Amino acid sequence: MQLDSHRPEESVPYVIVVGSEKGGTGKSTTAIHLAVALMKLGFRVGTIDLDARQGTLSAFFRNRAAQAERSGRPLELSKHRAIVRSGAGDPAAAEADEAGRLQDAFDDLADCHFIVIDTPGSDSYLCRIGHNRADTLITPLNDSFLDIEVLAHINRERREVEAPSVYSQLVWEQNNQRVVAGRPPIDWVVLRNRLAHLEARNMREIQALLSLLAKRIGFRLAPGISERVVFREMFMQGMTALDLPETGGGQGEIASHAAARREVQELLQAIGLFEAAPA
Ligand SMILES: Nc1ncnc2c1ncn2[C@@H]1O[C@H](COP(=O)(O)OP(=O)(O)OP(=O)(O)O)[C@@H](O)[C@H]1O
Ligand SMILES: [Mg+2]
């Protein structure tokens, strides 16, 4: 893959934020795989952990650095920053402090092609100003009606959107602020994650609802990511399916790893910055 020609060659990093107001939907997993995939394409990548208390993204890159050191294997490493919440008692002072911390991180990562930001599964000032930086926002969603509530309150029987969710409003607000400031709007991409073999009728119903919501709420749907052991099993080694050799292991394993790599590449393509490199 190569950087698509329609991307203006700017000197500022392109920012991909992974966010959702729900915990455990695959935000950190998505951020990890995107960052590694971009580095494997030869880009300089900065990563920012706005969920520093949990610290999943930070732990992954710590594990990866240790693995590279132990094995002598040259694993790509991002320029990583973790931002902890301010301890200031006064809310205005805390916000100013956190805005300053985020700006410092951006200044440190100014020479990167991409910045990938992982966010916590709950609303906070840091989470909101993180969303404000998104050129692309990726919201992973598990395949259930409960998860769709992250986007909007829906009436399942009547297939109607009753009201946007608090999270959709957060994204709209940040988007408006960007547009007012003369910056490009957020390209919001919803990603179905951990796709499993759901009952076909259920799956069709979720797909139909998401297509309806995409128009109403203003996001695009990316091809999904399946439930695969390889997406979680190598976390402690700081590795991903993208780091595995194309051969080795059983036939089933090879096929599953190849499929995992394909899914991550399709996500990159869906973001719209890339086109397949000519063969
Ligand atoms: N496609 C997938 N296949 C298999 N396991 C997955 C997949 N996506 C995520 N997981 C696993 O699901 C769990 C939750 O994922 P992850 O930590 O990425 O979610 P999160 O949205 O960052 O959670 P939190 O809100 O707590 O930060 C992890 O154990 C992760 O390895
Ligand atoms: Mg996380």
Side-chain angles (χ1 to χ4, degrees), residues 160-209:
E160 274 176 14
V161 181
E162 291 185 331
S165 66
V166 172
Y167 184 67
S168 291
Q169 290 176 48
L170 177 156
V171 177
W172 285 345
E173 253 170 53
Q174 299 309 321
N175 188 52
N176 285 345
Q177 284 185 22
R178 281 174 67 94
V179 173
V180 166
R183 286 152 66 214
I186 300 173
D187 183 18
W188 190 6
V189 177
V190 169
L191 170 73
R192 293 164 80 193
N193 183 30
R194 309 192 79 163
L195 290 174
H197 298 289
L198 282 188
E199 193 219 329
R201 198 173 67 87
N202 222 358
M203 191 140 50
R204 275 200 307 274
E205 213 179 313
I206 288 179
Q207 180 67 45
L209 255 176

Side-chain angles (χ1 to χ4, degrees), residues 2 10 35 41 43 51 70 77 110 114 117 133 140 162 183 206 228 277:
Q2 64 190 19
E10 292 165 3
L41 288 169
F43 295 113
D51 192 11
R70 223 178 11 248
L77 292 171
F114 288 91
I117 304 183
R133 300 283 184 144
E162 291 185 331
R183 286 152 66 214
I206 288 179
R228 293 182 197 280

Side-chain angles (χ1 to χ4, degrees), residues 220-235:
R220 303 189 289 124
L221 265 177
I225 300 275
S226 306
E227 168 77 32
R228 293 182 197 280
V229 175
V230 70
F231 282 127
R232 61 167 174 267
E233 70 181 346
M234 288 179 293
F235 180 89

Side-chain angles (χ1 to χ4, degrees), residues 23-29 49 51 54-57 118-121:
T25 55
K27 294 179 293 298
S28 302
T29 303
D49 193 350
D51 192 11
Q54 182 164 244
T56 311
L57 188 64
D118 190 19
T119 64

